[in-house]
Amino acid sequence: MSDTVDDVDLPYDEDEASQQEKIQALEERLEVLESQNEEMRDKLLDANAENNKYQQKLERLTHENKKLKQSPLFVATVQELTDEGVIIKQHGNNQEALTEVTEEMREDLGPDDRVAVNNSLSIVKTLSNETDVRARVMEVTESPEVSYEDIGGLEEQMQEVRETVEMPLEKPEMFDDVGIEPPSGVLLYGPPGTGKTMLAKAVANETNATFIKMAGSELVHKFIGEGAKLVRDLFDVAREHEPAVIFIDEIDAIAAKRTESKTSGDAEVQRTMMQLLSEMDGFEERGEIRIIAATNRFDMLDRAILRPGRFDRLIEVPKPDAEGREIIFKIHTRGMNVADDVEFGDLAEDVEEASGADIKAICTEAGMFAIRDDRTEIRMKDFHSAWDKVQADSDETEDVSKTFA
Ligand SMILES: Nc1ncnc2c1ncn2[C@@H]1O[C@H](COP(=O)(O)OP(=O)(O)OP(=O)(O)O)[C@@H](O)[C@H]1O
Ligand SMILES: [Mg+2]
């Protein structure tokens, strides 16, 4: 209708009518704007709330960041709750201190609890019980997946380990009848990669004993101040899981000669070793627990750990001879697609000085050479190239292997 409005000379009342219309239009517009405004305010509110959330998150992260940058906390054990405060004993230096705690925290504390303390020795928090520490250092498995058939060239060693570890676990009554104490454990020693760890696992597997593994180096480096306690825990866990085989790998880390360990944690290492010795001596309470330890640094061991009654057998696990190498080659190529030209006897002669671990590496590398050559069958020359590569790789890390004299 408005197309006529402009052309015609409008009388007053009509003009007024159009004014009315305009006002109405404006009012409608105003309403729309108001509702839009309302909407905007809502959105702004939402945004503010969101902003608040981020602000809080930022604060939390800043706080966490600060905490992370703070000096580390120390671990201590609660000795006693007295009226004056809580007596704690710091790990590592064994210093005792009296510290105050809030009522709230006091209720949660008991003797022997582990707590974290700061520089001024105030208790910052209580630590969850040691089971998670245990879990981090110890590996408890019902039965590892290694069997005697996976081990090559160690017949004699295998026989000895079985006699000392398996027999007493399976026929304890025989030892009773004969009237001798069953052997407590064996120490396996020899160069790296010769199958010591494997041997321990295989025994645990064949005996259905629980296998509890602890690495000496972890004990010393990761849990400073807790070594002795962890050794105690180790034997506790074993007692809970009888029959059990405790396997202490890299025992040299805890049982090094006094003169040769120059680390600052020396006293701590000593305490850890003392605890180990006393656990090993506590024969009656040991029950169905056998100990297997391994080291590739036999020369470094403290003689105390080798005294009779501790390890009944010291078993050397040397690098394999040619015959052993041939068997190990066959073991590690069981699932591989090997060409007819491959003579394991010859190969074993060629890879003089190779350890079991080296042979495993050679087999894998040989497979890689075949793949690179776009073949699915592994030929003799692949094994030779692989041996060259493995030797070159180990030359780079020669310093490490030379430590074994
Ligand atoms: N006698 C062997 N027969 C078959 N495989 C072997 C043998 N020795 C070593 N291997 C291979 O090498 C790998 C490493 O061996 P293992 O961990 O038992 O060596 P280790 O003697 O414990 O060495 P380290 O002193 O460095 O701990 C094994 O997983 C296995 O694949
Ligand atoms: Mg090992």
Side-chain angles (χ1 to χ4, degrees), residues 374-393:
D374 211 19
R375 275 180 284 115
T376 53
E377 207 179 43
I378 308 156
R379 298 188 187 146
M380 195 68 168
K381 65 169 188 189
D382 298 322
F383 283 100
H384 283 132
S385 313
W387 173 226
D388 290 340
K389 180 164 193 301
V390 168
Q391 273 175 308
D393 288 350

Side-chain angles (χ1 to χ4, degrees), residues 269-298:
V269 173
Q270 286 304 311
R271 264 199 304 282
T272 308
M273 180 171 91
M274 288 330 225
Q275 187 63 42
L276 179 64
L277 295 181
S278 82
E279 291 287 352
M280 293 185 75
D281 290 343
F283 213 106
E284 275 86 84
E285 307 98 81
R286 198 186 310 121
E288 299 289 274
I289 297 170
R290 300 276 94 78
I291 304 161
I292 304 179
T295 178
N296 53 36
R297 295 300 316 270
F298 187 73

Side-chain angles (χ1 to χ4, degrees), residues 168-351:
L169 286 176
E170 259 153 32
K171 300 192 178 118
E173 67 288 346
M174 269 191 68
F175 288 84
D176 277 349
D177 292 348
V178 176
I180 55 165
E181 305 240 307
S184 57
V186 297
L187 174 71
L188 307 171
Y189 67 96
T194 46
K196 300 180 291 297
T197 303
M198 263 188 124
L199 207 50
K201 286 189 172 171
V203 175
N205 187 11
E206 305 281 322
T207 54
N208 291 320
T210 307
F211 185 74
I212 305 166
K213 179 184 166 188
M214 180 182 258
S217 57
E218 293 219 314
L219 214 127
V220 172
H221 299 304
K222 282 206 197 141
F223 300 94
I224 298 169
E226 297 184 86
K229 184 168 180 353
L230 282 169
V231 169
R232 220 178 313 135
D233 284 350
L234 178 68
F235 281 80
D236 282 346
V237 171
R239 276 185 281 267
E240 284 163 24
H241 288 87
E242 273 180 313
V245 172
I246 293 181
F247 177 48
I248 307 173
D249 213 351
E250 304 168 56
I251 195 174
D252 44 281
I254 3 176
K257 269 181 216 157
R258 276 147 246 237
T259 47
E260 288 197 16
S261 57
K262 304 181 192 78
T263 50
S264 56
D266 208 8
E268 149 73 8
V269 173
Q270 286 304 311
R271 264 199 304 282
T272 308
M273 180 171 91
M274 288 330 225
Q275 187 63 42
L276 179 64
L277 295 181
S278 82
E279 291 287 352
M280 293 185 75
D281 290 343
F283 213 106
E284 275 86 84
E285 307 98 81
R286 198 186 310 121
E288 299 289 274
I289 297 170
R290 300 276 94 78
I291 304 161
I292 304 179
T295 178
N296 53 36
R297 295 300 316 270
F298 187 73
D299 54 308
M300 257 183 64
L301 290 187
D302 193 300
R303 296 297 121 180
I305 198 101
L306 302 175
R307 251 180 246 137
R310 291 189 173 139
F311 291 109
D312 300 276
R313 301 274 177 92
L314 306 179
I315 302 174
E316 185 179 5
V317 182
K319 280 192 180 177
D321 56 15
E323 201 185 327
R325 293 197 293 271
E326 185 176 343
I327 301 172
I328 300 174
F329 263 119
K330 287 183 178 153
I331 289 172
H332 286 291
T333 49
R334 266 180 206 153
M336 293 168 81
N337 188 7
V338 178
D340 290 338
D341 77 324
V342 176
E343 282 298 332
F344 290 117
D346 297 346
L347 211 48
E349 297 287 345
D350 296 337
V351 299

Side-chain angles (χ1 to χ4, degrees), residues 9 100 109 121 127-128 210 221 238 264 280 282 284 352 397:
D9 195 16
E100 295 209 21
L109 288 177
L121 298 184
L127 299 175
S128 53
T210 307
H221 299 304
S264 56
M280 293 185 75
E284 275 86 84
E352 223 180 312
T397 50

Side-chain angles (χ1 to χ4, degrees), residues 1-12 14-15 18:
M1 61 164 158
S2 67
D3 38 347
T4 56
V5 167
D6 287 339
D7 312 353
V8 185
D9 195 16
L10 295 167
Y12 183 65
E14 257 194 54
D15 197 30
S18 93

Side-chain angles (χ1 to χ4, degrees), residues 58-74:
L58 177 69
E59 259 166 48
R60 212 178 54 235
L61 288 175
T62 316
H63 179 72
E64 261 170 35
N65 189 18
K66 210 167 97 194
K67 252 185 22 200
L68 286 175
K69 281 188 195 153
Q70 261 170 12
S71 54
L73 299 172
F74 303 100

Side-chain angles (χ1 to χ4, degrees), residues 101-156:
V101 293
T102 58
E103 265 318 305
E104 220 175 75
M105 189 173 256
R106 195 186 170 97
E107 277 173 19
D108 288 343
L109 288 177
D112 275 344
D113 278 355
R114 294 184 328 129
V115 293
V117 297
N118 61 15
N119 264 328
S120 47
L121 298 184
S122 321
I123 297 179
V124 179
K125 61 179 168 198
T126 52
L127 299 175
S128 53
N129 69 48
E130 68 260 22
T131 45
D132 56 83
V133 176
R134 285 176 176 183
R136 275 181 290 154
V137 232
M138 293 178 211
E139 188 188 300
V140 182
T141 36
E142 292 304 327
S143 236
E145 285 181 9
V146 177
S147 74
Y148 293 134
E149 282 89 67
D150 299 327
I151 304 175
L154 297 175
E155 299 305 322
E156 266 172 56

